[in-house]
Amino acid sequence: MNPKSVAIIVVVAIIVAGAMYASFLLDSEEDTDDDLEIREFLVEGDWVEYLYDGEAMRLTVEGVSYVDGYLTTMFGDQQEVVPYSYFFTVIDPETDNVQFLRTETVDTFLGEIGCEVYGASNMFGDYEYYLEPSTGLVFITEFTSIYGATSTDVMTGTSLFDPIEVTDTGITLSQPREGSSYTIEQSFWYSMDDGDYYSGRDSEAMEVESVNGDGTLNLVQSADPVTIEEYMSALLMGEEEKSAMTLDGTRTVSTQWGLMECEIYSMELVPTNQFGSGQTNLLVDPDTDVVLMTWTDYTDITYDGDVWDEGHVESVLVDCNLVQTVG
């Protein structure tokens, strides 16, 4: 199975909190009217604190496992690898299924901020989000369950306003040999406007068991030998792929090898009987063409016999011992 395929085997149901990658830096210019700006990655030592129904909760980044995968410490020594969306809730009113309710000035750890208040509902209950308009960052979340229980989640502090000097980490690829491996984690979610939600996750490792005399590779996961090109095809962006897609710009990401300046490619998908419309995106290291992440967003997608209003499928490179850092 090609790890970049959108056909993903469901192994476990998960609930995804949050809406997109997000954090932010306070502009250091003298103009105090400058908007807050979004920083799209975390680094080791970053932290955020929330007050959840009167109980303080602090999350600290202990390390970066892969793009959008951060080893965190919460409640003492408890550690877990979580995505960025676990730290922050960010809402984009243009794309998220939320309804504008009102504007309200609220007291935050940054002082009084004029927030936009949005409402949303799902199968669990009703939400009100108080978000800072320039970033979409949610400072307060108020939730009322379908049974009438209420809870409030308030951001009370974060290190994410501290400036970071970005030094791009260069990588190279070594030749595949016995023991070479890479692992791609795949996940998806589908949602309905009425709040119905379904998701799943899987991972696939590609490990070289041995190398044949003709240079082909025997894989742990396959009975048939493969060429080096076949083995690397799921890891690299090919020239045909690159020519068929649009280069949208660059983005700095935090990886297990360090901060990397990557290119973002996109391609609109032709509507089919399976989905109404969609767009595929690739996050690629420009020096090696290693694909760190692939994600596709759909509308009106058919899955498991149902037509869902929205869908999201992504593949992330979580481990690769072929990669070596430069310098």
mmCIF file with all atom_site columns, all heavy atoms in Angstrom, residues 14 24 69 128 173 190 204 207 209 248 267:
data_model
loop_
_atom_site.group_PDB
_atom_site.id
_atom_site.type_symbol
_atom_site.label_atom_id
_atom_site.label_alt_id
_atom_site.label_comp_id
_atom_site.label_asym_id
_atom_site.label_entity_id
_atom_site.label_seq_id
_atom_site.pdbx_PDB_ins_code
_atom_site.Cartn_x
_atom_site.Cartn_y
_atom_site.Cartn_z
_atom_site.occupancy
_atom_site.B_iso_or_equiv
_atom_site.pdbx_formal_charge
_atom_site.auth_seq_id
_atom_site.auth_comp_id
_atom_site.auth_asym_id
_atom_site.auth_atom_id
_atom_site.pdbx_PDB_model_num
ATOM 1  N N   . ILE A 1 14  ? -10.877 8.185   17.037 1.00 0.00 ? 14  ILE A N   1
ATOM 2  C CA  . ILE A 1 14  ? -10.324 9.255   17.849 1.00 0.00 ? 14  ILE A CA  1
ATOM 3  C C   . ILE A 1 14  ? -11.180 10.484  17.713 1.00 0.00 ? 14  ILE A C   1
ATOM 4  O O   . ILE A 1 14  ? -11.908 10.634  16.750 1.00 0.00 ? 14  ILE A O   1
ATOM 5  C CB  . ILE A 1 14  ? -8.866  9.582   17.440 1.00 0.00 ? 14  ILE A CB  1
ATOM 6  C CG1 . ILE A 1 14  ? -8.830  9.985   15.953 1.00 0.00 ? 14  ILE A CG1 1
ATOM 7  C CG2 . ILE A 1 14  ? -7.936  8.429   17.693 1.00 0.00 ? 14  ILE A CG2 1
ATOM 8  C CD1 . ILE A 1 14  ? -7.499  10.532  15.519 1.00 0.00 ? 14  ILE A CD1 1
ATOM 9  N N   . PHE A 1 24  ? 1.283   31.867  18.127 1.00 0.00 ? 24  PHE A N   1
ATOM 10 C CA  . PHE A 1 24  ? 1.404   33.236  17.675 1.00 0.00 ? 24  PHE A CA  1
ATOM 11 C C   . PHE A 1 24  ? 2.513   33.966  18.404 1.00 0.00 ? 24  PHE A C   1
ATOM 12 O O   . PHE A 1 24  ? 2.886   33.625  19.502 1.00 0.00 ? 24  PHE A O   1
ATOM 13 C CB  . PHE A 1 24  ? 0.068   33.966  17.889 1.00 0.00 ? 24  PHE A CB  1
ATOM 14 C CG  . PHE A 1 24  ? -0.494  33.769  19.259 1.00 0.00 ? 24  PHE A CG  1
ATOM 15 C CD1 . PHE A 1 24  ? -0.405  34.758  20.216 1.00 0.00 ? 24  PHE A CD1 1
ATOM 16 C CD2 . PHE A 1 24  ? -1.101  32.575  19.596 1.00 0.00 ? 24  PHE A CD2 1
ATOM 17 C CE1 . PHE A 1 24  ? -0.918  34.567  21.472 1.00 0.00 ? 24  PHE A CE1 1
ATOM 18 C CE2 . PHE A 1 24  ? -1.613  32.387  20.867 1.00 0.00 ? 24  PHE A CE2 1
ATOM 19 C CZ  . PHE A 1 24  ? -1.525  33.391  21.799 1.00 0.00 ? 24  PHE A CZ  1
ATOM 20 N N   . GLY A 1 69  ? 3.612   16.638  15.813 1.00 0.00 ? 69  GLY A N   1
ATOM 21 C CA  . GLY A 1 69  ? 3.605   15.628  16.857 1.00 0.00 ? 69  GLY A CA  1
ATOM 22 C C   . GLY A 1 69  ? 4.600   16.007  17.938 1.00 0.00 ? 69  GLY A C   1
ATOM 23 O O   . GLY A 1 69  ? 5.810   15.963  17.718 1.00 0.00 ? 69  GLY A O   1
ATOM 24 N N   . GLU A 1 128 ? -19.466 27.903  22.894 1.00 0.00 ? 128 GLU A N   1
ATOM 25 C CA  . GLU A 1 128 ? -19.255 29.308  22.573 1.00 0.00 ? 128 GLU A CA  1
ATOM 26 C C   . GLU A 1 128 ? -17.755 29.580  22.653 1.00 0.00 ? 128 GLU A C   1
ATOM 27 O O   . GLU A 1 128 ? -17.111 29.273  23.656 1.00 0.00 ? 128 GLU A O   1
ATOM 28 C CB  . GLU A 1 128 ? -20.020 30.245  23.533 1.00 0.00 ? 128 GLU A CB  1
ATOM 29 C CG  . GLU A 1 128 ? -21.497 30.327  23.230 1.00 0.00 ? 128 GLU A CG  1
ATOM 30 C CD  . GLU A 1 128 ? -22.175 31.499  23.911 1.00 0.00 ? 128 GLU A CD  1
ATOM 31 O OE1 . GLU A 1 128 ? -21.485 32.289  24.606 1.00 0.00 ? 128 GLU A OE1 1
ATOM 32 O OE2 . GLU A 1 128 ? -23.405 31.638  23.760 1.00 0.00 ? 128 GLU A OE2 1
ATOM 33 N N   . LEU A 1 173 ? 19.907  12.325  2.489  1.00 0.00 ? 173 LEU A N   1
ATOM 34 C CA  . LEU A 1 173 ? 19.401  10.957  2.535  1.00 0.00 ? 173 LEU A CA  1
ATOM 35 C C   . LEU A 1 173 ? 20.535  9.979   2.263  1.00 0.00 ? 173 LEU A C   1
ATOM 36 O O   . LEU A 1 173 ? 21.320  10.172  1.323  1.00 0.00 ? 173 LEU A O   1
ATOM 37 C CB  . LEU A 1 173 ? 18.303  10.748  1.493  1.00 0.00 ? 173 LEU A CB  1
ATOM 38 C CG  . LEU A 1 173 ? 16.898  11.242  1.831  1.00 0.00 ? 173 LEU A CG  1
ATOM 39 C CD1 . LEU A 1 173 ? 15.967  11.003  0.655  1.00 0.00 ? 173 LEU A CD1 1
ATOM 40 C CD2 . LEU A 1 173 ? 16.368  10.549  3.068  1.00 0.00 ? 173 LEU A CD2 1
ATOM 41 N N   . TYR A 1 190 ? -14.094 12.437  9.176  1.00 0.00 ? 190 TYR A N   1
ATOM 42 C CA  . TYR A 1 190 ? -15.218 12.872  8.357  1.00 0.00 ? 190 TYR A CA  1
ATOM 43 C C   . TYR A 1 190 ? -16.268 13.468  9.295  1.00 0.00 ? 190 TYR A C   1
ATOM 44 O O   . TYR A 1 190 ? -16.471 12.973  10.408 1.00 0.00 ? 190 TYR A O   1
ATOM 45 C CB  . TYR A 1 190 ? -15.818 11.691  7.590  1.00 0.00 ? 190 TYR A CB  1
ATOM 46 C CG  . TYR A 1 190 ? -14.846 11.023  6.659  1.00 0.00 ? 190 TYR A CG  1
ATOM 47 C CD1 . TYR A 1 190 ? -14.377 9.728   6.912  1.00 0.00 ? 190 TYR A CD1 1
ATOM 48 C CD2 . TYR A 1 190 ? -14.371 11.688  5.531  1.00 0.00 ? 190 TYR A CD2 1
ATOM 49 C CE1 . TYR A 1 190 ? -13.478 9.120   6.066  1.00 0.00 ? 190 TYR A CE1 1
ATOM 50 C CE2 . TYR A 1 190 ? -13.467 11.081  4.678  1.00 0.00 ? 190 TYR A CE2 1
ATOM 51 C CZ  . TYR A 1 190 ? -13.028 9.796   4.949  1.00 0.00 ? 190 TYR A CZ  1
ATOM 52 O OH  . TYR A 1 190 ? -12.123 9.204   4.105  1.00 0.00 ? 190 TYR A OH  1
ATOM 53 N N   . GLU A 1 204 ? 2.189   2.686   8.816  1.00 0.00 ? 204 GLU A N   1
ATOM 54 C CA  . GLU A 1 204 ? 2.824   1.679   7.984  1.00 0.00 ? 204 GLU A CA  1
ATOM 55 C C   . GLU A 1 204 ? 4.328   1.896   7.983  1.00 0.00 ? 204 GLU A C   1
ATOM 56 O O   . GLU A 1 204 ? 4.804   3.000   7.695  1.00 0.00 ? 204 GLU A O   1
ATOM 57 C CB  . GLU A 1 204 ? 2.285   1.747   6.552  1.00 0.00 ? 204 GLU A CB  1
ATOM 58 C CG  . GLU A 1 204 ? 2.878   0.679   5.651  1.00 0.00 ? 204 GLU A CG  1
ATOM 59 C CD  . GLU A 1 204 ? 2.266   0.692   4.263  1.00 0.00 ? 204 GLU A CD  1
ATOM 60 O OE1 . GLU A 1 204 ? 1.721   1.732   3.866  1.00 0.00 ? 204 GLU A OE1 1
ATOM 61 O OE2 . GLU A 1 204 ? 2.347   -0.341  3.584  1.00 0.00 ? 204 GLU A OE2 1
ATOM 62 N N   . GLU A 1 207 ? 10.524  -1.337  6.116  1.00 0.00 ? 207 GLU A N   1
ATOM 63 C CA  . GLU A 1 207 ? 11.842  -1.706  6.656  1.00 0.00 ? 207 GLU A CA  1
ATOM 64 C C   . GLU A 1 207 ? 12.562  -2.671  5.722  1.00 0.00 ? 207 GLU A C   1
ATOM 65 O O   . GLU A 1 207 ? 11.972  -3.657  5.261  1.00 0.00 ? 207 GLU A O   1
ATOM 66 C CB  . GLU A 1 207 ? 11.682  -2.339  8.032  1.00 0.00 ? 207 GLU A CB  1
ATOM 67 C CG  . GLU A 1 207 ? 13.011  -2.695  8.688  1.00 0.00 ? 207 GLU A CG  1
ATOM 68 C CD  . GLU A 1 207 ? 12.832  -3.288  10.070 1.00 0.00 ? 207 GLU A CD  1
ATOM 69 O OE1 . GLU A 1 207 ? 11.684  -3.314  10.566 1.00 0.00 ? 207 GLU A OE1 1
ATOM 70 O OE2 . GLU A 1 207 ? 13.840  -3.736  10.647 1.00 0.00 ? 207 GLU A OE2 1
ATOM 71 N N   . GLU A 1 209 ? 14.843  -5.613  5.009  1.00 0.00 ? 209 GLU A N   1
ATOM 72 C CA  . GLU A 1 209 ? 15.323  -6.807  5.711  1.00 0.00 ? 209 GLU A CA  1
ATOM 73 C C   . GLU A 1 209 ? 16.708  -7.203  5.222  1.00 0.00 ? 209 GLU A C   1
ATOM 74 O O   . GLU A 1 209 ? 17.583  -7.576  6.015  1.00 0.00 ? 209 GLU A O   1
ATOM 75 C CB  . GLU A 1 209 ? 14.337  -7.955  5.514  1.00 0.00 ? 209 GLU A CB  1
ATOM 76 C CG  . GLU A 1 209 ? 14.684  -9.202  6.298  1.00 0.00 ? 209 GLU A CG  1
ATOM 77 C CD  . GLU A 1 209 ? 13.598  -10.249 6.191  1.00 0.00 ? 209 GLU A CD  1
ATOM 78 O OE1 . GLU A 1 209 ? 12.999  -10.357 5.099  1.00 0.00 ? 209 GLU A OE1 1
ATOM 79 O OE2 . GLU A 1 209 ? 13.349  -10.961 7.178  1.00 0.00 ? 209 GLU A OE2 1
ATOM 80 N N   . ASP A 1 248 ? 3.025   26.805  -3.524 1.00 0.00 ? 248 ASP A N   1
ATOM 81 C CA  . ASP A 1 248 ? 2.289   27.873  -2.856 1.00 0.00 ? 248 ASP A CA  1
ATOM 82 C C   . ASP A 1 248 ? 3.159   28.738  -1.948 1.00 0.00 ? 248 ASP A C   1
ATOM 83 O O   . ASP A 1 248 ? 2.685   29.739  -1.413 1.00 0.00 ? 248 ASP A O   1
ATOM 84 C CB  . ASP A 1 248 ? 1.135   27.289  -2.030 1.00 0.00 ? 248 ASP A CB  1
ATOM 85 C CG  . ASP A 1 248 ? 0.047   26.709  -2.907 1.00 0.00 ? 248 ASP A CG  1
ATOM 86 O OD1 . ASP A 1 248 ? -0.106  27.189  -4.051 1.00 0.00 ? 248 ASP A OD1 1
ATOM 87 O OD2 . ASP A 1 248 ? -0.639  25.775  -2.470 1.00 0.00 ? 248 ASP A OD2 1
ATOM 88 N N   . MET A 1 267 ? -2.744  20.930  -5.146 1.00 0.00 ? 267 MET A N   1
ATOM 89 C CA  . MET A 1 267 ? -3.389  20.567  -6.394 1.00 0.00 ? 267 MET A CA  1
ATOM 90 C C   . MET A 1 267 ? -4.890  20.393  -6.142 1.00 0.00 ? 267 MET A C   1
ATOM 91 O O   . MET A 1 267 ? -5.290  19.671  -5.222 1.00 0.00 ? 267 MET A O   1
ATOM 92 C CB  . MET A 1 267 ? -2.811  19.275  -6.965 1.00 0.00 ? 267 MET A CB  1
ATOM 93 C CG  . MET A 1 267 ? -3.449  18.835  -8.281 1.00 0.00 ? 267 MET A CG  1
ATOM 94 S SD  . MET A 1 267 ? -2.620  17.385  -8.997 1.00 0.00 ? 267 MET A SD  1
ATOM 95 C CE  . MET A 1 267 ? -2.967  16.149  -7.741 1.00 0.00 ? 267 MET A CE  1
#
